[in-house]
Amino acid sequence: MKSNFDVAVIGGGPCGAIAAERLAQSDHSVVLVDPDNKIKPCGGAIPSRALKDFEISEDQLVARANAARVIAPSGNAVEMRIGDIGFVGMVDRETFDPYLRARAEQAGARFVRGKLAGIDTGQNGSLDLKVDGTDPHNPGTTEHLNARMVIGADGANSAVRRLMFPAKKKPPYVFAYHEIVESPAVPDPDIFQRDRCDVVYDGRISPDFYGWVFPHGGQTSVGCGSAVKGHNLRDATSDLRDRAGLTGQRTIRREGAPLPLKPMRRWDNGQNVLLAGDAAGTVAPSSGEGIYYAMLCGNLSADAVAECLATGQASALRQARRRFMAEHGRIFFILGIMQAVWYRSDGLRERFVTMCADPDVQRLTWESYLNKRLVRRDPLGHIRVFFKDLAQLAGLPASQK
């Protein structure tokens, strides 16, 4: 079987699978490597526009959320309804990731079930990859692959980054943990609704991030994240389950992993390797949203690698980061400021939730999330939000008009 490829994509999550599919569609020989034995802890939320942008079949949605409820340390809660401008689609990574990998195979990529164990540079400048097999039906196998280019889309603990970049080159992250539990058959609507995502801002749940309860139809993702060493995420998740009326529900699986929160300054090695998705740090600060940005990175990375292969210019690899930051750098910057300012204490979290009751804040939040860009058609709305933001920071009463 062929072992020489134009591109080896390491990691078959949303980023790597989309990259492999796009490259295969453009007649490049592609191998997609993934262990196929882990499920990333993830709330599973994608904006409705993702269905069109990445041609996602609607049957991949296990639920649609039409609202979010933000909850303060005091228990004060604000419900934010989306209205008729879209919805938050919910996917289950247990089925969504294999669906994307199958699409890549159908486009012509070869799928290798395994884990990257090593990379060496060959005499002709190509890359020799050692892949240890993870197929339970064929254990202990090792496969050697050769590729002109490598895309490292293998997550926050990227083996590609570790093997091909300096040790200090990695993004900051929080550690995320969640439990997938059965949704209640007859829930108490005051504490759990099937079409609503709950986001909990409470230092007892997370001293520097947040907790979540995201219904997935018959299942629910409940979890939290934190970068504070010693904070017990399992205990915090147990508390969240109590609050949401999920204590007695059967636990289906438990998962934990680091979650990067800042894009790296450089994604390529200047030659033949490009990082993408979580490996490059493209998870939104403040919100932790990653699936949409990962799939976008998959497309941008595929395009950059294709240009590099066509022109022989390694500088083409830099276009992936440049295009991503041109489109989303500003909103990542703003979300980073939000996290740095509002997540510092429970007092500030309380004010943040109060601010979310404002109609301008809700409208601009949903339009920016669903459209994946800052809303520019309403500058007065941004000005109103800016001054209300200052009022909340100063502890002054803000007009809700």
Side-chain angles (χ1 to χ4, degrees):
M1 188 174 291
K2 182 177 181 179
S3 60
N4 296 309
F5 300 89
D6 292 330
V7 187
V9 180
I10 311 302
C15 178
I18 289 289
E21 178 185 34
R22 193 173 182 91
L23 284 163
Q25 288 172 337
S26 59
D27 295 327
H28 291 91
S29 58
V30 183
V31 60
L32 176 62
V33 178
D34 188 87
D36 196 29
N37 59 5
K38 292 183 179 180
I39 307 169
K40 181 186 174 182
C42 177
I46 59 173
S48 48
R49 70 166 288 179
L51 300 178
K52 178 180 179 181
D53 288 358
F54 306 104
E55 299 180 337
I56 304 300
S57 173
E58 288 203 27
D59 62 14
Q60 286 300 307
L61 300 182
V62 294
R64 296 187 182 205
N66 300 302
R69 182 175 64 163
V70 292
I71 304 172
S74 66
N76 176 45
V78 172
E79 186 166 280
M80 304 169 62
R81 285 275 157 190
I82 297 176
D84 60 0
I85 61 173
F87 60 88
V88 179
M90 308 304 296
V91 298
D92 187 337
R93 297 292 294 273
E94 183 178 23
T95 54
F96 187 62
D97 290 17
Y99 156 78
L100 294 176
R101 290 196 285 270
R103 284 186 12 173
E105 284 192 275
Q106 290 166 5
R110 180 188 165 198
F111 177 51
V112 171
R113 186 177 286 103
K115 185 176 181 181
L116 181 68
I119 304 179
D120 292 314
T121 302
Q123 291 183 349
N124 61 354
S126 63
L127 295 164
D128 296 320
L129 292 78
K130 178 184 176 184
V131 177
D132 290 339
T134 58
D135 187 341
H137 302 294
N138 194 19
T141 60
T142 295
E143 186 158 0
H144 294 274
L145 307 169
N146 179 270
R148 295 169 62 190
M149 309 288 297
V150 167
I151 294 177
D154 48 342
N157 283 328
S158 170
V160 175
R161 190 182 64 224
R162 173 173 50 81
L163 291 168
M164 302 300 291
F165 289 76
K168 63 180 181 179
K169 298 294 183 182
K170 60 182 181 179
Y173 63 86
V174 300
F175 195 85
Y177 170 82
H178 82 156
E179 297 174 1
I180 297 292
V181 303
E182 285 186 340
S183 300
V186 186
D188 180 346
D190 290 335
I191 59 175
F192 183 95
Q193 294 184 17
R194 292 180 180 273
D195 72 336
R196 184 185 69 198
C197 296
D198 284 359
V199 183
V200 181
Y201 297 103
D202 185 337
R204 293 165 294 187
I205 299 299
S206 173
D208 57 336
F209 203 52
Y210 65 83
W212 66 84
V213 180
F214 287 1
H216 289 179
Q219 302 176 0
T220 295
S221 166
V222 51
C224 54
S226 177
V228 175
K229 292 183 179 179
H231 182 69
N232 195 314
L233 296 176
R234 285 184 177 245
D235 286 351
T237 299
S238 178
D239 189 0
L240 282 172
R241 290 181 64 164
D242 289 344
R243 298 185 190 190
L246 300 171
T247 301
Q249 301 302 116
R250 182 173 69 91
T251 301
I252 298 169
R253 63 180 192 264
R254 297 180 174 89
E255 297 149 358
L259 189 68
L261 292 178
K262 187 176 181 180
M264 292 175 58
R265 289 186 176 273
R266 184 162 182 172
W267 298 358
D268 68 284
N269 71 342
Q271 298 178 52
N272 48 15
V273 178
L274 178 63
L275 299 177
D278 282 16
T282 58
V283 175
S286 179
S287 69
E289 182 192 359
I291 298 177
Y292 181 90
Y293 295 117
M295 291 191 290
L296 175 63
C297 269
N299 276 345
L300 297 178
S301 298
D303 291 347
V305 165
E307 183 179 347
C308 182
L309 288 170
T311 64
Q313 300 297 315
S315 58
L317 297 178
R318 298 188 181 185
Q319 292 303 316
R321 186 186 189 279
R322 286 173 181 166
R323 288 183 59 192
F324 183 90
M325 297 305 291
E327 291 183 35
H328 302 287
R330 183 178 297 180
I331 199 164
F332 269 51
F333 176 73
I334 291 172
L335 290 172
I337 291 176
M338 282 180 55
Q339 182 173 344
V341 171
W342 294 110
Y343 293 10
R344 288 181 298 168
S345 69
D346 276 351
L348 287 168
R349 294 184 189 98
E350 198 76 40
R351 294 178 187 177
F352 176 69
V353 170
T354 298
M355 189 175 67
C356 288
D358 184 271
D360 284 326
V361 171
Q362 294 191 19
R363 178 172 54 82
L364 294 174
T365 295
W366 284 126
E367 290 183 358
S368 295
Y369 170 79
L370 293 169
N371 295 320
K372 283 291 164 280
R373 59 178 179 269
L374 293 175
V375 180
R376 296 178 181 177
R377 63 178 175 80
D378 185 10
L380 291 179
H382 284 285
I383 292 171
R384 289 194 298 269
V385 168
F386 173 74
F387 283 108
K388 291 167 185 174
D389 199 355
L390 289 180
Q392 286 295 335
L393 279 172
L396 301 173
S399 170
Q400 296 298 305
K401 297 181 181 179

